[in-house]
Structures are given as C-alpha cells and as structure tokens.
Amino acid sequence: MPDPSNAVIAAAFDELGDLYELDGAVIHRVLAYRNAAKAVRDAPTSVSALTREGRVTTVPGIGKTLEEKLRALLETGTIPAAEKLRARFPAGLIEMTRLPGLGPKRARKLFDELGLDSLDALREAAEQQRLRGVKGFGPKFEASVLAAFEAGVAERPAPRLVLHRATELAEAIAEGLRAHPAAVRVELAGGLRRGSDSVKDLDLVAAATDPAALAGALADLDLVESASSAGENAARARTHSGASVDLRVVTPDQFGNLLQHFTGSRQHNVRLRERAVKRGLHVSEYGILDDATGDTLRCATEEEVYARLGLPWIPPELREDRGELDKGFVVPDLIVQDDLKGDLHCHTVASDGRDTAQEMAAGALARGLQYVAITDHSATHGFGNDVSPDALRRQIELVHDLNDRTDGIEVLIGTETNILPDGSPDYDDDLLAQLDWVVGSVHTSFGMSRAEMTRRIVAATEHPWIDCIGHLTGRKIAARAPYDVDVEAVFEAAARTGTMLEINSAPDRRDLNDVHARQAHAAGVRIVINTDAHGVSTQGIARWGVLTARRAGLTAADVANTLPWAQFAPLRKRAAR
DNA sequence: GCCGTTTTCGGCCCGACTGTTTTCAGTCG
C-alpha cells in the first residue's frame, strides 16, 4: 500500500473536521483539523515521509493528537475516529450543508429530530412543511430550501470560473464603474487579485466620493443581468453569463482597509488579525482599532495597513497563510512577465497550432523574447496532424532555415513528444538527438495506477534526450482531475537527472500548480515557464504561468528561461552529452 | 486540537445578515 499523498491526508483531515463539527465539538477543535488540512495540502514535502521520520509535528498545526492519527492512517490505511463518526453520521448529512443557510448545527438538528439524512429527505420534508415543526425553523426556511433545489443546488455545486475568464469579465465591470463620476478607484479583489486557479465569484472594491451612488451604478452596466443592494455601500449582481459579482465601496480614506480585507485570503486575514490582537490592535475592513487609544486608524493604502501591523507589504499572490506572516519572512522579489527571455513550448500548423513557425517566431520576438522553441506534437499524438519522423526531419530543416533568416530571436527546433505508457518517447533517440530541445508530456492512458504513472514519468525523466516534462499532472482547472502520480517522486527524479519541469501557462492548466512549483523548486528542480501557445494570439498567456510562479514564491533567478539563450543552453540535459 | 514577545492553561479574527426570536445563535464571506 503506497503512502497517502498530501492531498489524500488533507482530505481526511477535512472530513474529520466536518464529522467532529456534526458531532458538536467545540468550533476551535474543528478549525484545528481544517487548519491542519490546509497546512498539509500546502506542505512543501511529503507529510507521510515526515510522519515516518517522526518530524511531522514540525508542520504548523499538527500536534501530538494529529500525529497519532497520521500514524494510524499510515499503518492501517484508515483513522479509527473517522470510522466511528462515519457510522453515526451518514454522508448525506454533510451534503445537506451545501444548502445556503443550513450549516452543521442546524443540519444536525434536522437529523436528530426528523431523521433527515440526505438531500432527498430534506426536500421531501420541506415539501410536506414538516421543517417548521422544529424549533428554530419556519416557513421561510422551507421556501428557501425548495428554492435552492429549484436552482439546482442538489445536482451540482456552484461552478467555479477559471481565472482568465473571470479576470476578463471583472476587468470589464471595473472599467464600467471607473467611468462613473463618483469613482475614485476600482480594483479587483479576492482570488482574482491573488491569482487563484479559479474563483467562485467576482469581488470588486472601490473608493468613491459618493459610495452609495457608485454601488448603485453596478446595476446599470450592460454586462449585468440583475442586481440587488447588499447594504448601503454595497451591491451584488449577476452577469448575463451567470457569474455573481460582489461590490463594496468606501470613501478614499478607508480604501486600503477595504482592499486588504477583500483580497484575503480568509486564512491570511485570520492569521494577520490574530497577530494584531497580540499587539492590542483589531483589524477589520473599516480600519485598525487600537485598544490603547480607542482610535480607529483608517488607511488609504494597503501599505499603511501592513505597516501599522509592523509588516512589509505582502504581494497578494503570497497571501495564502503559507508562512508569509511568520517572523523573519523576507518578501521575495517575485518574477514578472518581462523577466522571461524564452518560450520553450509552442505549436504550429505542423501539428494542431493555427500559425506557422515563422509567425510564431515573429510573435515571440514582438513580445520581447530572445528565443522560442517550436515543439509540435509527436507521431502518436492521436488528435490528427501528427508529425511523423519524416515530417519532423523536414521541420528541422525548415526551422534551421528560418533561424538563419531571422534576426533578433533564436528559433529552436524541438518537439513535444508523447511519453508512452512504458515511459519512452515516441521518436527514436537519433532523431531526438538532432533537436535543440525536447518536452515530454503524457497525453494518453490517463487511467493508469499511481505506481504505474509514477514509474512512467520517472522513466521519462531518466531518458537522455528528454529535457523537460510538460504539464506534469494533466489537470484541467474546473474540468478534469489530475492523473494520479506521485509528484514528489518525480521531483526527486527530475532533480537527480537534471530534467526541467514546466509551469504550463495555459490558463486552464497552470501545471505545475503553485504548490507543486514551490515543492519542485525546494527539491532542487529547474523550473521553466512555457506558454504551450497554439497561435500568435495566445502567446501572451505566459501571464498565467508567471502568476503561478509568483504564487509559488519564485523569483526570476528561480526560473531558468529568464536566462538569455547562451546561458540557458548549457543547462539542458543534452548539453552535457 | 494547537500553541506561547503577556500564557504549558486559556485563549484561539471580524462584521453583517437571516430568520426566528423576546435577545440571539447560526451562517456566511
């Protein structure tokens, strides 16, 4: 039995938190499990390995009790406490808490008094008006339950918006609001500003000379289908595309407090406020209350908020409670898009791209890059337009010729070769050896076992002509789960063999993700940020890969393709041969 | 259940809204 991954352990702790909450445990005990789950999910090393080494209590939020539970999980594959609680509380009870306004306390009450243990049972009870018989529940709640089912809550959890679409939409709304005469500043907040993979809704904050007037103006935008007031200086809306929008407006002297509060993350704010309380300060979206004086400090900028708490300004991408508020944390000089000198993964009409190698090279040059590798799909890609070995040989000639004719940018010939189920590439070694650069990616047989998939990708890192592994986990944000692979084993192999790992910038991939990129870097792996662009029009998506790298805390020096080609070239595995 | 520039015990962010209450617990962000 393989050791559970950090993701599996985190899910187990989250489940335990839910179960203890239903069991009526004090909330801080429940939160301890959720904190631990998050710490495990974000941990830069294997929590299973730490447990075996007896060092797991070095993970913040894991103490003696959770260590014991981890040991049980490693030795028996399960946690006894979870088994016991599962026997008492059906899974349907946790599902019931998906309904707005129904949390664990009230769900438990319905379970105890009416025996409701599933969404179906809840709906039936609401239809029969039996809920109002329970103290604390009334006709309005029954109506809201039925409305929630009508809206489809039971079938699907609220869909999440992938960041690039959400950003595009939110920027358009922000632009509309900025045109209002009362607007002083309008900014994106929440996960949009932190660069999360996806967001649940669009958070916007604004400063205005007349806050109520600007909040009211949200309803008038063309993009907005319907809007409602959510208090004096706030508005909530739904766009025609179905996204929900939250807007809060204050006067300019409080804008820093508001922006800080609504940028989050929740965990970052909790930690920030806990720190502040120890100094006698209470932080909210309205200001910083000082116990000593009774005064509330209003901040026009975020910098003032952090400064008053004795902290440097922390870039939004790092506000995830991953150590950024620890004593002695030094804010890194995070990478920016302009730091990138090359793109080592793109496609042309030779496979499934839209533009020619010449057009892609010109596009890369126009974006200020100094080198670009043409890496079309390989012979067994399986989605049409496969590049046969002969076609690749012709492509080598073509790109060499193009490079000779092109000034200002190094045009390299490469491939994105399929990693076959046995871990080998689908071109012969002598052909791969003629290329400047080879990305190896998994595009088939996603359903392999974790052990098989890990062996497959580790074997690819050990191949002498594979310079880099593309989109390591194959995930599609909000659409497709990653395939099951022991990423830590791959990081070890990549570091050992000198194989680089890509942060794929496609906005629905961002793979490596932020946590993996941080782990890989810590393991000594060389990271590159690639576009995987399929046309000139999408070469700008490096933005999303850079955002992922920033969330991983990476600087320009931590990303190999910030180097000019002359310095990058010798870092390739093939350069050592 | 965790944790320590006030603590090895007694704390553990902040504010708004909701529906049901007779003064507020639970939920949400």
Side-chain angles (χ1 to χ4, degrees), chain A residues 160-459:
Chain A
R160 294 187 66 89
L161 295 160
V162 180
L163 195 66
H164 67 308
R165 297 264 177 255
T167 301
E168 192 177 9
L169 196 51
E171 278 295 356
I173 293 168
E175 274 311 305
L177 292 171
R178 284 176 191 130
H180 191 275
V184 177
R185 254 188 100 175
V186 182
E187 297 295 338
L188 313 193
L192 288 168
R193 183 156 178 254
R194 300 198 310 278
S196 307
D197 291 336
S198 63
V199 295
K200 188 163 63 65
D201 47 24
L202 311 179
D203 289 323
L204 286 96
V205 296
T209 51
D210 181 349
L214 186 60
L218 180 63
D220 301 330
L221 299 181
D222 287 343
L223 288 156
V224 168
E225 176 202 87
S226 62
S228 62
S229 173
E232 181 83 358
N233 297 336
R236 190 159 293 158
R238 195 173 177 78
T239 67
H240 290 292
S241 54
S244 29
V245 184
D246 267 322
L247 171 68
R248 287 280 295 266
V249 193
V250 291
T251 48
D253 60 331
Q254 283 179 302
F255 184 71
N257 302 106
L258 183 72
L259 180 61
Q260 196 286 321
H261 174 79
F262 276 97
T263 296
S265 63
R266 177 196 306 269
Q267 285 304 313
H268 173 87
N269 282 355
V270 167
R271 182 59 57 90
L272 186 83
R273 291 165 181 199
E274 283 172 354
R275 267 188 55 125
V277 167
K278 290 179 181 160
R279 301 166 159 243
L281 301 171
H282 302 273
V283 181
S284 78
E285 63 261 54
Y286 302 108
I288 302 175
L289 170 65
D290 186 338
D291 279 341
T293 64
D295 293 334
T296 296
L297 176 70
R298 296 180 166 203
C299 303
T301 69
E302 267 190 339
E303 284 79 357
E304 290 171 62
V305 176
Y306 284 94
R308 180 66 188 86
L309 302 173
L311 291 163
W313 180 80
I314 295 168
E317 295 91 335
L318 297 181
R319 299 183 196 171
E320 298 289 347
D321 188 25
R322 293 175 183 164
E324 75 278 8
L325 294 171
D326 290 353
K327 200 167 52 170
F329 177 78
V330 177
V331 178
D333 188 10
L334 298 176
I335 184 171
V336 296
Q337 195 169 348
D338 278 350
D339 290 327
L340 294 177
K341 303 282 196 298
D343 182 10
L344 294 151
H345 184 169
C346 73
H347 297 269
T348 74
V349 289
S351 61
D352 58 354
R354 294 181 298 276
D355 297 314
T356 64
Q358 183 168 355
E359 287 163 337
M360 293 302 280
L365 176 61
R367 291 183 177 276
L369 296 184
Q370 299 172 9
Y371 50 102
V372 59
I374 305 299
T375 55
D376 278 298
H377 287 293
S378 55
T380 64
H381 183 243
F383 304 112
N385 299 323
D386 310 327
V387 181
S388 68
D390 276 342
L392 181 55
R393 287 187 190 96
R394 287 195 296 276
Q395 187 78 337
I396 293 173
E397 293 304 313
L398 185 145
V399 171
H400 281 169
D401 179 54
L402 171 63
N403 191 37
D404 289 344
R405 293 187 281 112
T406 307
D407 288 331
I409 187 164
E410 196 75 28
V411 190
L412 310 164
I413 180 61
T415 181
E416 181 184 17
T417 187
N418 274 354
I419 299 172
L420 299 173
D422 68 356
S424 60
D426 62 349
Y427 289 119
D428 290 340
D429 285 5
D430 59 345
L431 183 50
L432 293 176
Q434 295 174 44
L435 302 170
D436 298 313
W437 172 256
V438 172
V439 177
S441 303
V442 168
H443 286 118
T444 57
S445 307
F446 291 172
M448 297 170 88
S449 75
R450 180 179 174 83
E452 287 174 320
M453 186 62 89
T454 304
R455 259 199 301 280
R456 177 184 187 180
I457 299 178
V458 166

Side-chain angles (χ1 to χ4, degrees), chain A residues 494-550:
Chain A
R496 170 168 51 81
T497 58
T499 308
M500 300 191 199
L501 293 182
E502 154 189 285
I503 294 176
N504 187 295
S505 298
D508 62 340
R509 287 190 183 271
R510 299 178 70 184
D511 181 13
L512 310 175
N513 68 24
D514 49 2
V515 171
H516 290 160
R518 187 180 289 242
Q519 291 175 332
H521 173 66
V525 177
R526 233 175 231 125
I527 307 280
V528 292
I529 299 175
N530 290 331
T531 65
D532 196 359
H534 283 63
V536 171
S537 65
T538 52
Q539 283 177 312
I541 61 176
R543 168 183 183 182
W544 309 109
V546 168
L547 203 49
T548 296
R550 288 172 63 87

